[in-house]
């Protein structure tokens, strides 16, 4: 084990900056490490790019990024989902600047080279200059490997990456449980809130598996909700609230264990009186008692945060997606989720979910501004005393295997962070 000192911390290779119980603050501040991360992590991992509900029909698209690569995720005419590098094969201009939409294909605004939804080059203006020079079949858009599980679409730059199913491993069980919050209907994206903070991406990666901060940073949110909701989120001394290391840098933090599997309902838990109005609306719409119970119990989402290394968490009732911009700048997207079903049923449910989303995650909510202040402060503080490590040792002494064999500790412990940094160390060690 190599200890950090002020004399050595800037000379050690990145992989030596992660120890079992601490990491070096230089990992938040060194531009050279950030450049390596983009290649070794964001261009070799499976990166979450979209949810299938964002591509409802042929021609639907979403523009986003995989590492440094701007990409367009499309559903082609045969229903196949593809991830196309957003770069014209002629002179490199971006083809699409819209975040989402519907198109028959993509045409470069510079010289009008046009491409199909499958990325094939379809047309070139004034083609006579290219006779005998090139074959259009060789100049389709670069396409990334794209696979999905449970409606979650991932892409990777690495053609030799392991299959997505293997990368997810035991995460698949938790994705299945997360999607049960549709209450018997598919889950769909309702909208996205996007913002930037002045800090390194790993600070946010830690946050979604950090139960320790919740009652401290989010005191104002706890004071703003009804007593039953506050009680539900009072997990600090609940021994059944735990965090599991699921492998490959993934982890799950169970804050409300009784809501981890929404399909497991013995009927003993009363619905909260605050939802009486929603129940009345669903009864008027013709929903039966069992359906009302499934939908209302799922309004708050599942009782866990599922952290998928490196760029997305499935956090109770929404997705939190991170995109590193520079060593000290990160874009976050909060993606609100709801049920996709008959409007008279899911309409009132989704309105209730959106109000809850706005209350915590929205730009005027109680939760996100408080988190953002913490992330900014970590970045500023990490500039000082570089020999002092960032501690991720909480709960190390009480971490034990679960019945499934997952390293497990209390929900306030830093098991999820250690899992993510172990994966970071492995990937940054690869040449």
């Amino acid at each position: 084990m190599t200890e950090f000192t002020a004399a050595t911390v800037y000379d050690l290779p990145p992989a030596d900056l992660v120890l079992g119980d601490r990491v070096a603050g230089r990992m938040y501040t060194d531009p050279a490490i950030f450049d390596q991360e983009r290649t070794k992590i964001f261009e070799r991992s499976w990166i979450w790019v979209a949810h299938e509900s964002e591509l409802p029909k042929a021609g639907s698209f979403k523009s986003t990024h995989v590492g440094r690569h701007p990409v367009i995720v499309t559903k082609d005419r045969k229903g196949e989902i593809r991830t196309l590098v957003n770069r014209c094969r002629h002179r490199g201009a971006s083809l699409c600047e819209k975040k989402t939409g519907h198109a028959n294909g993509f045409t470069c605004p510079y010289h009008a080279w046009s491409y199909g939804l499958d990325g094939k080059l379809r047309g070139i203006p004034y083609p006579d200059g290219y006779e005998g020079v090139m074959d259009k079949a060789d100049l389709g858009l670069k396409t990334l490997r794209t696979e999905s599980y449970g409606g979650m679409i991932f892409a990777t730059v690495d053609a030799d990456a392991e299959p997505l199913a293997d990368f997810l491993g035991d995460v698949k069980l938790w994705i299945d449980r997360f999607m049960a919050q549709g209450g018997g209907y598919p889950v769909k994206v309702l909208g996205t809130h996007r913002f930037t903070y002045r800090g390194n991406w790993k600070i946010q990666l830690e946050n979604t598996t950090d139960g320790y901060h919740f009652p401290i940073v989010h005191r104002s949110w706890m004071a703003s909700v009804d007593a039953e909701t506050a009680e539900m989120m009072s997990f600090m001394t609940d021994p059944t609230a735990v965090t599991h290391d699921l492998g490959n840098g993934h982890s799950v933090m169970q804050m409300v264990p009784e809501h981890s599997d929404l399909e497991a309902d013995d009927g003993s838990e009363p619905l909260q009186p605050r939802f009486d109005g929603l129940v009345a609306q669903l009864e008027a719409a013709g929903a039966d008692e069992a359906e009302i119970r499934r939908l209302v119990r799922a309004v708050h989402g599942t009782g866990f945060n599922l952290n998928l290394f490196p760029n997305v968490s499935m956090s109770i009732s929404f997705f939190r997606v991170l995109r590193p911009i520079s060593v000290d700048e990160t874009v976050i997207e909060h993606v609100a989720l709801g049920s996709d079903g008959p409007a008279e049923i899911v309409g009132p449910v989704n309105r209730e979910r959106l109000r809850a989303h706005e209350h915590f995650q929205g730009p005027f909510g109680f939760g996100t501004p408080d988190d953002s202040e913490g992330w900014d402060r970590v970045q500023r503080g990490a500039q000082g005393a570089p020999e002092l490590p960032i501690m991720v040792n909480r709960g190390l002494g009480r971490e034990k295997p679960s019945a499934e064999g997952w390293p497990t500790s209390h929900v306030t412990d830093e098991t999820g962070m250690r899992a993510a940094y172990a994966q970071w160390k492995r990937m940054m060690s690869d040449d």
Side-chain angles (χ1 to χ4, degrees):
M1 179 178 291
T2 304
E3 296 294 339
F4 318 128
T5 68
T8 63
V9 69
Y10 288 111
D11 296 326
L12 294 171
D16 286 353
L17 301 178
V18 174
L19 304 180
D21 61 351
R22 71 196 76 175
V23 302
R26 177 186 155 204
M27 294 165 60
Y28 298 158
T29 61
D30 188 335
I33 290 178
F34 178 76
D35 283 344
Q36 289 189 46
E37 288 174 332
R38 293 204 292 186
T39 301
K40 293 185 174 182
I41 294 176
F42 284 87
E43 295 178 2
R44 293 182 184 170
S45 295
W46 285 100
I47 302 299
W48 184 83
V49 292
H51 183 258
E52 287 182 357
S53 67
E54 297 178 276
L55 304 165
K57 56 186 178 181
S60 297
F61 70 85
K62 173 184 178 181
S63 58
T64 182
H65 288 76
V66 175
R68 281 167 284 210
H69 302 270
V71 299
I72 315 169
V73 188
T74 69
K75 178 175 278 189
D76 71 18
R77 297 189 188 287
K78 295 180 180 178
E80 183 173 345
I81 295 174
R82 301 173 184 271
T83 304
L84 312 172
V85 175
N86 190 3
R87 179 190 190 280
C88 180
R89 290 298 305 275
H90 178 216
R91 301 282 286 280
S94 65
L95 297 164
C96 178
E97 295 290 334
K98 294 180 65 176
K99 292 300 294 181
T100 60
H102 185 268
N104 292 319
F106 302 97
T107 300
C108 178
Y110 200 5
H111 298 92
W113 283 33
S114 61
Y115 301 86
L117 296 167
D118 56 4
K120 292 180 179 176
L121 178 60
R122 300 293 188 192
I124 299 175
Y126 310 107
D128 48 304
Y130 289 108
E131 291 172 346
V133 175
M134 67 179 195
D135 184 345
K136 285 199 302 183
D138 297 331
L139 289 172
L141 300 179
K142 181 178 174 61
T143 302
L144 305 188
R145 276 185 64 191
T146 304
E147 297 180 15
S148 65
Y149 181 83
M152 302 290 282
I153 303 168
F154 298 79
T156 180
V157 177
D158 184 359
D160 298 321
E162 62 184 327
L164 175 66
D166 293 348
F167 177 66
L168 294 177
D170 290 337
V171 163
K172 298 194 289 294
L173 165 67
W174 294 91
I175 291 178
D176 294 343
R177 288 178 174 175
F178 187 86
M179 296 304 174
Q181 68 183 277
Y185 297 101
V187 167
K188 71 173 181 179
V189 170
L190 300 178
T192 298
H193 161 222
R194 187 176 300 108
F195 63 98
T196 300
Y197 73 91
R198 295 295 303 177
N200 187 266
W201 66 277
K202 296 185 291 296
I203 298 170
Q204 196 286 305
L205 182 75
E206 296 168 7
N207 177 261
T208 318
T209 187
D210 183 353
Y212 192 30
H213 81 289
F214 196 90
I216 301 166
V217 172
H218 300 305
R219 284 193 297 267
S220 59
W221 178 83
M222 294 284 277
S224 71
V225 298
D226 61 273
E228 289 173 311
T229 303
E231 175 63 25
M232 187 170 66
M233 295 301 291
S234 298
F235 48 73
M236 294 299 288
T237 57
D238 180 355
T240 67
V242 296
T243 296
H244 302 295
D245 171 354
L246 300 176
N248 288 345
H250 315 311
S251 62
V252 63
M253 184 174 75
Q254 292 181 270
M255 292 89 78
V256 190
E258 61 271 25
H259 279 199
S260 288
D261 184 357
L262 291 168
E263 301 286 347
D265 177 20
D266 63 7
S268 61
E269 179 189 20
L271 299 181
Q272 295 177 20
R274 60 168 292 199
F275 294 125
D276 287 351
L278 175 60
V279 170
Q281 291 180 71
L282 292 173
E283 288 173 342
D288 63 29
E289 183 177 350
E291 182 175 23
I292 291 172
R293 186 169 176 81
R294 281 198 304 273
L295 288 164
V296 172
R297 287 186 78 238
V299 163
H300 285 302
T302 56
F304 59 82
N305 283 358
L306 180 59
N307 232 25
L308 302 186
F309 187 89
N311 83 315
V312 64
S313 64
M314 304 169 74
S315 183
I316 296 185
S317 60
F318 68 105
F319 300 147
R320 178 184 273 175
V321 188
L322 65 83
R323 181 163 75 88
I325 303 298
S326 67
V327 70
D328 59 359
E329 184 178 9
T330 305
V331 170
I332 298 292
E333 291 184 344
H334 283 170
V335 182
L337 303 174
S339 302
D340 189 6
E344 64 275 17
I345 298 293
V346 303
V349 173
N350 288 344
R351 282 193 290 274
E352 190 72 36
R353 291 176 63 97
L354 278 174
R355 297 296 86 80
H357 184 90
E358 292 161 353
H359 190 82
F360 191 90
Q361 285 85 27
F364 296 103
F366 284 82
T368 295
D370 293 335
D371 272 335
S372 298
E373 173 68 15
W375 304 339
D376 287 351
R377 284 178 176 241
V378 170
Q379 185 70 30
R380 292 197 292 275
Q383 301 286 343
E387 74 279 13
L388 300 180
I390 306 294
M391 304 305 296
V392 290
N393 58 345
R394 182 175 168 82
L396 190 59
R398 55 185 177 185
E399 193 172 279
K400 297 178 180 177
S402 68
E404 298 85 354
W406 303 321
T408 299
S409 193
H410 190 253
V411 74
T412 64
D413 293 342
E414 288 152 351
T415 295
M417 296 176 209
R418 292 191 287 274
Y421 280 122
Q423 178 73 359
W424 188 95
K425 184 181 180 77
R426 282 192 292 273
M427 299 196 77
M428 292 293 281
S429 300
D430 292 341
D431 293 326

